[in-house]
Amino acid sequence: MIQTLLDEFSRRFGPGDAPRRFFAPGRVNLIGEHTDYNGGHVFPCALTLGTYCAARVRADRTLRLFSLNFPDAGVVETTIDQATPLPGGSWANYVLGVVRAFTDAGHALPAGLDMAFWGDIPAGSGLSSSAALEVLVGTALKGLFGLRVSGTEIALLSQRAENDFIGLSCGIMDQFASAMGKRDHAIFLDTQTLEYQYAPLALTGAHIVIVNSMCKHALAGSAYNDRRAECERALAALRTVRPGLPSLGALTPEEFDALSGAIPDAVCRKRARHAVYENARTLDAFDALRRGDLAAFGQLMNASHVSLRDDYAVSCGEVDALVDIAWRCPGVLGARITGGGFGGCTVNIVSDAAAAQFTETVRREYAARTGLDAQIYTVSAGDGAREVLE
Ligand code: ADP
Ligand code: MG
């Protein structure tokens, strides 16, 4: 596929020096959902699926962008100094947002670029193709212009692009996982301090299987903001009995249970309980993986789903059906919703011996229950963003 990308690059941008090639992966979060904006931990891994670009520095300040995933958009032509998003929700805004974030952070970009992109992250599947694209651009800028910027900084600048240029107030997880991934490892990240540790993802005889429900309910965006506001109200109430409490993620479940009566609103109390207990599950999941205890890890994933369904109320009938079907399949160690919610994907740990039957059962039963065709991807944990040298 890299060859197709290089051919397309020559076709669109003409002869010249061979372009350099870069790659950035998508990600899946194994556990630690809706904890990132509550000062808690997340536990994602980067995937081997991802996005590639071929890029060449120009003699002027023109910026020309083409994506094999959006061929109808043609070559988008602007300049490296473009300061505002292009109209019409162009995909190129993800690129321009990162360029802008680098410039604003004081990284002088000395010239324009020709860039061609292609990626194999399934569209709209919740595996964060947007973060992959942003981190890819950051990695290319670093490589092409010899910038002194760390992986963590590339992740932060990419997050800024998504927050400020695209207008989506996401946390740091997706960009961090794409920038800092490590093959066969998951990343245990403290979203408050950005301290992180790798845990070996030794899934002996098992794989991560992502199942896309192929549904996305319209309320996803507003409900995300509602959940954030409910958690903030719960935190404010807890501060009346625990002054200076920095975040929900700072409480153990025992501390929370002792204090939770201070939250007058039952809904806010449930949201906060999820944030606190999910953070504790994520700490336990890190320990379980380090011990190589996959069964315990899977149980924590299952408990995470119950909490997201009942306390945080971000699941939906279709996704609950997928998880329920998975829980009944032999050889499934754990299954839960992953990503923002209200549709999207489930993440499952499935033993290789049971994989074929799992796929068959999920397809058949999900179609029977919902009339939808689930998309199923078996994935592996891969390395973070890098220049492709081979
Ligand atoms: P996801 O869950 O995959 O991150 P988003 O809606 O956040 O979904 O981001 C998807 C958007 O990112 C696409 O609509 C497109 O604008 C941009 N994008 C992702 N990958 C590519 C690519 N390979 N080429 C061009 N644009 C891309
Ligand atoms: Mg995205």
Side-chain angles (χ1 to χ4, degrees):
M1 194 59 210
I2 274 268
Q3 194 52 50
T4 312
L5 179 63
L6 294 174
D7 292 346
E8 194 68 28
F9 184 92
S10 313
R11 215 158 70 76
R12 299 281 168 178
F13 301 129
D17 293 343
R20 282 165 67 179
R21 297 158 297 156
F22 300 88
F23 170 80
R27 67 91 188 93
V28 65
N29 191 23
L30 299 173
I31 194 164
E33 212 70 75
H34 291 281
T35 46
D36 57 347
Y37 52 86
N38 283 309
H41 294 75
V42 293
F43 204 10
C45 62
L47 302 174
T48 51
L49 300 172
T51 307
Y52 294 83
C53 82
R56 186 167 64 198
V57 177
R58 294 176 55 91
D60 57 18
R61 298 192 68 75
T62 301
L63 181 62
R64 293 196 295 180
L65 308 169
F66 179 78
S67 172
L68 277 156
N69 297 92
F70 292 86
D72 294 346
V75 173
V76 178
E77 185 163 331
T78 174
T79 77
I80 198 87
D81 306 303
Q82 174 74 33
T84 51
L86 300 176
S90 169
W91 68 269
N93 285 332
Y94 290 90
V95 180
L96 298 175
V98 176
V99 165
R100 186 72 199 162
F102 269 70
T103 310
D104 285 350
H107 298 288
L109 303 181
L113 297 165
D114 289 336
M115 303 180 100
F117 297 88
W118 173 78
D120 61 359
I121 302 171
S125 61
L127 301 181
S128 232
S129 67
S130 62
L133 179 56
E134 290 151 3
V135 169
L136 177 61
V137 171
T139 305
L141 293 177
K142 173 182 176 166
L144 293 165
F145 295 132
L147 305 176
R148 299 175 68 86
V149 42
S150 69
T152 298
E153 283 165 331
I154 289 176
L156 285 166
L157 292 170
S158 297
Q159 183 199 15
R160 190 165 308 156
E162 184 125 3
N163 291 169
D164 297 351
F165 218 78
I166 302 297
L168 204 99
S169 61
C170 60
I172 186 64
M173 169 171 69
D174 301 352
Q175 289 80 5
F176 197 93
S178 182
M180 304 297 288
K182 184 170 166 179
R183 189 186 164 161
D184 294 329
H185 286 74
I187 311 167
F188 180 68
L189 173 68
D190 181 334
T191 61
Q192 190 89 328
T193 62
L194 296 191
E195 283 168 21
Y196 65 97
Q197 292 179 68
Y198 294 109
L201 202 51
L203 301 177
T204 345
H207 267 91
I208 302 168
V209 181
I210 314 277
V211 182
N212 190 343
S213 69
M214 303 307 282
C215 82
K216 191 83 205 169
H217 293 286
L219 81 175
S222 63
Y224 178 84
N225 291 335
D226 291 347
R227 295 298 174 278
R228 289 191 74 138
E230 286 156 358
C231 287
E232 276 162 27
R233 287 212 294 281
L235 179 62
L238 288 170
R239 282 182 178 146
T240 62
V241 287
R242 179 73 80 86
L245 180 65
S247 68
L248 295 174
L251 291 175
T252 64
E254 295 71 29
E255 288 170 325
F256 176 77
D257 288 344
L259 299 174
S260 65
I263 307 169
D265 181 73
V267 169
C268 292
R269 205 180 311 131
K270 284 206 309 189
R271 308 299 189 241
R273 185 167 62 199
H274 167 77
V276 171
Y277 275 70
E278 180 76 354
N279 188 45
R281 274 189 291 274
T282 307
L283 301 174
D284 290 346
F286 177 59
D287 286 339
L289 261 202
R290 280 201 301 193
R291 290 196 311 272
D293 188 347
L294 219 51
F297 188 81
Q299 290 300 321
L300 290 161
M301 288 174 69
N302 295 346
S304 167
H305 184 77
V306 170
S307 177
L308 287 158
R309 182 191 67 194
D310 298 344
D311 277 350
Y312 219 61
V314 288
S315 191
C316 62
E318 293 87 348
V319 168
D320 286 342
L322 278 181
V323 170
D324 185 55
I325 295 163
W327 283 345
R328 292 160 191 269
C329 280
V332 173
L333 291 123
R336 68 177 201 88
I337 188 173
T338 184
F342 305 99
C345 291
T346 64
V347 55
N348 309 262
I349 311 277
V350 183
S351 78
D352 294 339
Q357 204 201 332
F358 173 82
T359 303
E360 204 272 317
T361 307
V362 169
R363 282 227 174 86
R364 180 170 35 79
E365 290 197 17
Y366 186 62
R369 287 204 207 181
T370 65
L372 295 169
D373 281 324
Q375 299 285 309
I376 302 178
Y377 317 98
T378 300
V379 300
S380 304
D383 283 323
R386 60 194 177 270
E387 183 162 9
V388 179
L389 297 168
E390 69 269 16

